[in-house]
Amino acid sequence: MEKKISISQIKEVALEAYNEVKEQTGGKNADYIPYLANIDSKLFGLSICLMNGQTINIGDTDYRFGIESVSKVHTAILILRQYGAQKVLDMIGADATGLPFNSIIAILLENDHPSTPLVNAGAISACSMVQPVGNPDKKWDAIVQNITELCGSAPQLIDELYKSETATNFNNRSIAWLLKNYNRIYDDPDVALDLYTRQCSLGITAEQLGIAAGTIANNGVNPVTRQSVFDAGLAPKITSMISTVGFYEHSGDWMYTAGIPAKSGVGGGVMAVLPGVMGVSAFAPPLDEAGNSVKAQLAVKFIMNKLGLGVFNGDNVTITE
Ligand code: GLU
């Protein structure tokens, strides 16, 4: 069906979503990474990026929070750019694990591949693939450059978060070496782990994440800078991976109720992609038990349901002035 939605309607619904959700007290900051436990749990921002480059920002959209697992999407895009869709499928895979993001059992169960770049195992494996293999500094530059292009502006390392994660990432260290055991690490395991830890510690704003989501929704062309960041053919690969596992073991419930592929991070960020229509991002630190921001989920879901939008709705959506 043809569906027309005006920009003022989107602004109105976004504001309504923000006001509806802002007093919610559910959830709790991640505390297994000490830095995250101390972030003001009242922070809340909501950002939408439309395909004409317009952004709609409400609340704390210029606060820099830890990107955490949302960075997995960015680096998945980088290896898709460097290796192409088939190689990423062969070397990592695109399956959901149905298990928590940092599951070791998932690796043992699927020991022929780490499933998807969007869980810890696959993300560490993805960092090992980033080119140029064997050159940690250049690999890091490639990761940051890719995020910068997707967001249209640079992220900034939160040094305290990086130190905090490095001092406590014992589970991820085990994952890196277990993957090495299964020949699923394509560079030095410690380098891959460090790059993964560092990318998770990048500070990003909700507006930047919204623009990155907009770039994916816009088939690889950043709607704000108009730069062509990745090949349009990769966009459906990215959104399919996000919809399969973006909310970890809650991904099915999420797609069923919100209808938009979205990726969360334990820093409280969520990045959601409605292909051809908009990128949406929300940030609020308190998380549910699976590690997904409570307020961000509610806000994005509110917008989708209220506007009657959804990736499976089969509508041809036009945004009007
Ligand atoms: N750096 C975090 C970890 O590896 C990211 C987890 C997440 O955001 O889901 O545990």
Side-chain angles (χ1 to χ4, degrees):
M1 268 190 13
E2 293 299 321
K3 192 174 173 76
K4 282 198 169 60
I5 300 180
S6 69
I7 295 178
S8 55
Q9 217 178 333
I10 296 173
K11 283 185 182 158
E12 213 172 280
V13 169
L15 193 59
E16 212 183 319
Y18 181 84
N19 288 327
E20 187 81 13
V21 170
K22 79 167 181 259
E23 302 305 339
Q24 282 281 339
T25 53
K28 170 168 160 308
N29 286 27
D31 55 8
Y32 74 103
I33 299 169
Y35 173 90
L36 297 177
N38 298 324
I39 302 294
D40 180 357
S41 56
K42 288 212 163 52
L43 287 164
F44 180 32
L46 181 58
S47 186
I48 296 178
C49 174
L50 302 174
M51 301 300 85
N52 67 358
Q54 191 172 341
T55 57
I56 299 164
N57 293 310
I58 306 169
D60 302 309
T61 50
D62 54 7
Y63 178 86
R64 278 187 192 273
F65 55 93
I67 186 172
E68 296 295 347
S69 271
V70 186
S71 67
K72 289 170 173 147
V73 176
H74 295 75
T75 299
I77 292 172
L78 176 58
I79 57 165
L80 282 165
R81 290 171 75 178
Q82 293 184 336
Y83 289 80
Q86 186 59 47
K87 272 222 144 109
V88 170
L89 186 67
D90 295 343
M91 293 170 81
I92 299 186
D95 261 344
T97 63
L99 289 164
F101 61 91
N102 53 3
S103 176
I104 288 195
I105 292 177
I107 304 171
L108 299 172
L109 290 175
E110 288 203 64
N111 61 26
D112 59 332
H113 64 70
S115 303
T116 161
L118 303 193
V119 298
N120 287 21
I124 294 169
S125 188
C127 285
S128 79
M129 283 172 70
V130 169
Q131 292 169 2
V133 168
N135 188 330
D137 290 344
K138 287 224 163 84
K139 281 170 82 109
W140 175 244
D141 290 347
I143 289 171
V144 174
Q145 179 63 26
N146 176 61
I147 298 182
T148 303
E149 289 174 8
L150 288 163
C151 297
S153 57
Q156 266 166 29
L157 190 73
I158 305 174
D159 216 43
E160 204 187 327
L161 176 56
Y162 174 50
K163 290 203 180 97
S164 184
E165 287 213 32
T166 303
T168 53
N169 64 352
F170 311 115
N171 191 77
N172 289 340
R173 288 184 216 178
S174 315
I175 289 176
W177 283 95
L178 192 56
L179 290 173
K180 171 78 179 161
N181 185 52
Y182 292 126
N183 299 318
R184 291 290 164 174
I185 286 284
Y186 306 101
D187 200 340
D188 181 273
D190 288 328
V191 167
L193 174 70
D194 179 59
L195 289 169
Y196 168 74
T197 310
R198 242 191 293 171
Q199 75 174 27
C200 285
S201 308
L202 285 169
I204 196 117
T205 67
E207 182 176 25
Q208 284 180 303
L209 266 196
I211 295 171
T215 304
I216 303 169
N218 201 31
N219 283 333
V221 177
N222 185 312
V224 175
T225 63
R226 306 309 306 173
Q227 184 191 353
S228 174
V229 181
F230 61 80
D231 197 80
L234 297 176
K237 305 297 177 208
I238 297 154
T239 33
S240 84
M241 284 196 289
I242 300 175
S243 45
T244 312
V245 75
F247 271 34
Y248 300 118
E249 62 271 41
H250 288 183
S251 299
D253 284 358
W254 171 259
M255 288 308 293
Y256 189 94
T257 55
I260 182 168
K263 180 75 200 82
S264 67
V266 295
V270 164
M271 174 175 95
V273 180
L274 191 61
V277 181
M278 60 170 84
V280 187
S281 159
F283 154 67
L287 311 176
D288 67 15
E289 71 286 1
N292 304 313
S293 167
V294 172
K295 280 187 196 156
Q297 288 183 71
L298 289 170
V300 176
K301 201 183 293 186
F302 183 99
I303 292 169
M304 295 302 290
N305 291 336
K306 191 80 188 224
L307 291 174
L309 292 171
V311 78
F312 301 122
N313 294 8
D315 292 328
N316 189 12
V317 181
T318 314
I319 307 288
T320 59
E321 287 300 324

